[in-house]
Amino acid sequence: MKFNTKTIHGNQHPEESTGAVMVPVFQTSTYAQNSPGNHKGYAYSRGKNPTRFALENAIASLENGTHGFAFASGLAAIDCVLRTLNPGDEIIAGDDLYGGTYRLFTELFQKYGLSFQYVNMDKPENVVNAISIKTKLIWIETPTNPLMKIADIEAITKMVKQINNTILVAVDNTFATPYLQRPLDLGADIVMHSATKYLGGHSDLVMGALVVKNNKLAEQLHFIQFAAGAIAGPMDSFLALRGIKTLHVRMQRHCENAMFVAQFLSSHPSIETVFYPGLTNHSNHEIAKKQMDDFGGMVSFRFKEDTKTAAFSFLEKIKVFTLAESLGGVESLANHSVTMTHGSIPEEERLKVGITDSLVRLSVGIEDIDDLIADLDQALSK
């Protein structure tokens, strides 16, 4: 199937007992058994639930994987990946990460004996040069949050596997979605999503997902999902399934609108820098063209007056855009990274990578572009 058809039909089937086209919400914790251990494939919903199982199959199809797993949040999905490691193992991650990921790494798993290196993944050799005998996992975000850096997934994976084929490569594909890039096809071992964002698409659920191809790895992740219990509930799974069915048409408009927004901001006299991989002056624009089918709906920018005052003035004036956490919904959102999504990262670390006081991140929605540009124009006016 082509991708647009997969969002509606990929690994998705009418419910067997009734023929319901949309899989019902199986709001149940347990299932009747004919005799001990003899059941219809479902025993207890922490292990398997029909609504969640349908969603997991659908997400696996979109990423060209064989096994999908849905969790209570994106961070719960990352937590599951890290639980495959042992004390003393090392993770190499990008230096521009979602603040919640950084917090999970440094304030939780570092205490349990894992170590982390943060490198600029703009160049694959930076990753390779950081590898040691302790390295067990490469954690890639691309595009990154919030600076929209692009990492070459295929090049990094090839170089890492040549050094040590047992090192896992995981990609946070939240910003791009499988509509724009499919990391498993580029050699990665694990794809992670905050399904709260574009997969759900309507700002009405919190969920995470993992997709893999390797059977042994899938067994390990499923055991951790079952044993640790951070599963997605059936109602959220139903909402995510519904959201996925329109992913392709939503992403088309997100990408179109974001390009217009990025171009408008680039020409505005009060803006210093615009971060968007679709712009030709983006440092890794050519890599983005190579591995992505379009450039996504996320745009960040920094004011010439690099102060919180400049950012707050803008954020307090917006009317169509909404000042709020999160991203990827049909509505346009604006975010001040320093005080919101990346508030848990120490100032010194933020400034090293360029997350400064005036940085604003936009999640460009699917509204009429004329209304979005007019809102930005009036909010930027003195």
Side-chain angles (χ1 to χ4, degrees), residues 11 167 193 254:
N11 277 357
I167 296 175
H193 285 277
H254 284 301

Side-chain angles (χ1 to χ4, degrees), residues 124-142:
E125 53 266 32
N126 293 344
V127 179
V128 173
N129 292 338
I131 291 175
S132 73
I133 59 172
K134 295 181 179 180
T135 305
K136 302 297 181 184
L137 174 68
I138 311 297
W139 186 265
I140 301 172
E141 263 188 34
T142 183

Side-chain angles (χ1 to χ4, degrees), residues 43-283:
Y44 186 61
S45 277
R46 174 160 42 82
K48 191 176 177 183
N49 172 280
T51 316
R52 189 177 83 238
F53 186 57
L55 170 66
E56 291 171 334
N57 285 337
I59 294 175
S61 172
L62 295 183
E63 287 286 4
N64 293 332
T66 55
H67 303 81
F69 306 93
F71 297 84
S73 69
L75 286 171
I78 301 172
D79 176 271
C80 181
V81 174
L82 295 183
R83 286 174 188 263
T84 66
L85 306 177
N86 297 305
D89 290 346
E90 177 185 70
I91 298 90
I92 297 173
D95 61 359
D96 180 32
L97 284 176
Y98 165 54
T101 303
Y102 181 87
R103 181 176 56 233
L104 182 70
F105 287 178
T106 59
E107 297 188 30
L108 286 181
F109 277 93
Q110 214 160 263
K111 293 180 181 178
Y112 304 142
L114 297 182
S115 61
F116 297 86
Q117 277 198 72
Y118 301 95
V119 303
N120 185 341
M121 291 192 175
D122 279 0
K123 296 181 179 180
E125 53 266 32
N126 293 344
V127 179
V128 173
N129 292 338
I131 291 175
S132 73
I133 59 172
K134 295 181 179 180
T135 305
K136 302 297 181 184
L137 174 68
I138 311 297
W139 186 265
I140 301 172
E141 263 188 34
T142 183
T144 63
N145 182 1
L147 295 175
M148 309 302 153
K149 292 183 178 182
I150 299 295
D152 190 329
I153 299 169
E154 185 173 33
I156 290 172
T157 302
K158 281 183 178 179
M159 294 170 73
V160 167
K161 297 294 185 179
Q162 285 172 357
I163 294 171
N164 185 343
N165 195 46
T166 67
I167 296 175
L168 294 175
V169 176
V171 178
D172 183 338
N173 204 30
T174 299
F175 274 23
T177 82
Y179 177 76
L180 300 180
Q181 73 184 12
R182 290 155 295 281
L184 296 181
D185 292 349
L186 300 173
D189 300 291
I190 303 171
V191 178
M192 175 268 165
H193 285 277
S194 174
T196 309
K197 315 304 194 298
Y198 287 108
L199 294 185
H202 294 79
S203 301
D204 54 9
L205 61 90
V206 175
M207 183 185 291
L210 299 174
V211 180
V212 299
K213 283 185 176 180
N214 181 275
N215 289 337
K216 184 177 180 181
L217 180 57
E219 289 174 7
Q220 191 177 14
L221 294 174
H222 181 260
F223 172 78
I224 295 168
Q225 181 193 40
F226 172 73
I231 56 167
M235 187 64 206
D236 282 349
S237 297
F238 175 85
L239 291 172
L241 269 170
R242 185 185 66 173
I244 282 172
K245 289 182 182 294
T246 60
L247 176 65
H248 56 300
V249 291
R250 287 187 286 108
M251 288 306 298
Q252 289 171 16
R253 180 57 63 85
H254 284 301
C255 293
E256 291 169 4
N257 282 356
M259 180 60 85
F260 278 113
V261 166
Q263 290 171 340
F264 168 78
L265 292 171
S266 295
S267 64
H268 199 279
S270 66
I271 304 303
E272 177 68 29
T273 310
V274 177
F275 303 93
Y276 185 65
L279 297 176
T280 56
N281 64 358
H282 186 283
S283 60

